[in-house]
Amino acid sequence: RHPGAESPPMIRPWDPAVAAVQEFPITTYQPVYFLAESLQDAKQRMREYCEDLHRPFFALYNDRTETVFIDRPVRRTQGPT
């Protein structure tokens, strides 16, 4: 329990889809922690989550030239305000 926190934080199983939409207020202590069985488990679950993300384009980083190749034109949209 954090000193000054109203209640102890919840511990939930590591699920990237759930963690991605979890709200974390900046004015209070973190209300939820996500716990993986191991670092390997966390990495595997994150990889699986990322494989299912919708990507309207493909980007590839070239570490030799330090450039990013994008396979089609991309327009930036304004995010939430």
Side-chain angles (χ1 to χ4, degrees):
R1 181 177 168 140
H2 297 291
E6 294 179 16
S7 60
M10 291 184 281
I11 307 295
R12 293 189 178 155
W14 169 234
D15 181 342
V18 174
V21 297
Q22 174 66 46
E23 290 192 27
F24 288 100
I26 62 170
T27 57
T28 62
Y29 289 101
Q30 187 170 329
V32 178
Y33 288 88
F34 291 93
L35 179 65
E37 295 294 322
S38 65
L39 183 56
Q40 185 65 30
D41 174 59
K43 291 188 325 186
Q44 182 62 35
R45 289 175 187 244
M46 182 58 85
R47 280 191 189 107
E48 290 169 2
Y49 174 74
C50 290
E51 287 173 1
D52 291 337
L53 291 175
H54 170 69
R55 294 181 199 102
F57 60 90
F58 176 77
L60 180 66
Y61 177 71
N62 183 330
D63 60 347
R64 193 169 55 94
T65 62
E66 296 183 352
T67 59
V68 177
F69 168 77
I70 301 174
D71 69 343
R72 66 194 72 170
V74 177
R75 290 190 320 177
R76 184 180 297 212
T77 60
Q78 184 174 358
T81 56

